[in-house]
Amino acid sequence: MKERNHRMRLLPVPFAALVALLALTSCQKEYFSFTSGTPVKFGAASSGTSLTRTAYSGAESGSKERIDWEQGDLIRIYCGAASLPVQQYADYEIEADGIPDVGNPAKSYSTVRPYDAGSVLCWGDEGAEHVFYAVYPSPATEGKSSDKFPGEATKTTATCTIPSTQDTLSIKKETGSPTTFTAVPDLTSEYMVAKKTISAGTQTIDGSTVFLSFKPVVTAIEFTVINGSGSPMDIDNISLTSKGGDIAGQFTVNLASWTGEDGYPVCASTGTPSNNVTIPVSRKLAANDTLKLTFFLKPIDDGSTPVDIKDLTFRVNKAGGSWMQTFLGYTDGSGVEFPCHKKTFVKGLLIPEGAQWTVKYGSAGKEEDDDAVTVLTSWNTGVTGD
């Protein structure tokens, strides 16, 4: 068996915060005057199908990849102190594509407008503190009707769903040879949240706009895989399977538990868990072609402590029923840990035909890391139904 030496980098990076119009701390308290019964004015900021969606910008700053708003994105906002509507929540949509902040390229800004002009949040008692909770995507978004939002089931908890099958919006082909294909992810699985507290006071902010700074809570892994077999490879789908399970399905986000911009609200598993996530790609790769694809996984916390994901198996299912899979682990048999609530880049993963080679998980920002732990990756092969 021929052995190949190849370096693979595992780069965990935090998501950039999504901010609105002004880069404000998502949980800080603001004071300004407001009039009971009048509509609340919102702005939103950030660090596909007939409905446009948020998109990865590809721009990185300070180890953060910016996420851009796109026109038509839907968010839902709840406030228990609101006087209207009766349910005390309403949907809002992004008015225009996000604009990167020249001074801080990790952030993208946009304005929002009511999705339904007849249902808008209105200020409550002028002496009361108003706490606003927001989630993207809104349960009104296509395919998200099973989600729950604060105000529906519980006052400060959202129920979200990571699907086991994660369709892409498109497969983007870049020019050049070998060719690089990018499976453009549907970011409605990229759940983001915001929390803002407003107290009545003497300071008046122009327009009394409530600026919401959104932060992603899911766990994501972007793979860059290379067809190193030396011949064309017809891929049907690619999947991740966890030995421990619980990487897809429903989870809750306790927004009331979120007390600081640097942390995260507590996320907990609920409903029936799934140990598998599959991305259909249906793509033929020529020798040395590259495919990029992103998996979204359920975020889980043990109390207030994020639980990293490990013991994952990466599987390539080819047209015709044959498959190859490899355990993402170290030579001692332990699994590589993928940080909860963050996006990790796995770059340079060769897909061979039964070959075996040495790879290294490098640290963020380094092309190679001599101190990284050596991983002997071997692929098992088979045919579906055998």
Side-chain angles (χ1 to χ4, degrees), residues 32-63:
F32 55 76
S33 300
F34 52 81
T35 303
S36 179
T38 60
V40 182
K41 181 180 179 181
F42 293 102
S46 81
S47 357
T49 63
S50 60
L51 194 65
T52 55
R53 295 180 167 85
T54 52
Y56 284 128
S57 65
E60 295 183 35
S61 176
S63 297

Side-chain angles (χ1 to χ4, degrees), residues 157-160 250-255 265-270 298-299 301:
T157 299
T159 301
C160 309
Q250 283 193 338
F251 67 98
T252 58
V253 184
N254 182 356
L255 290 167
V266 174
C267 299
S269 180
T270 185
K298 185 192 297 187
D301 297 300

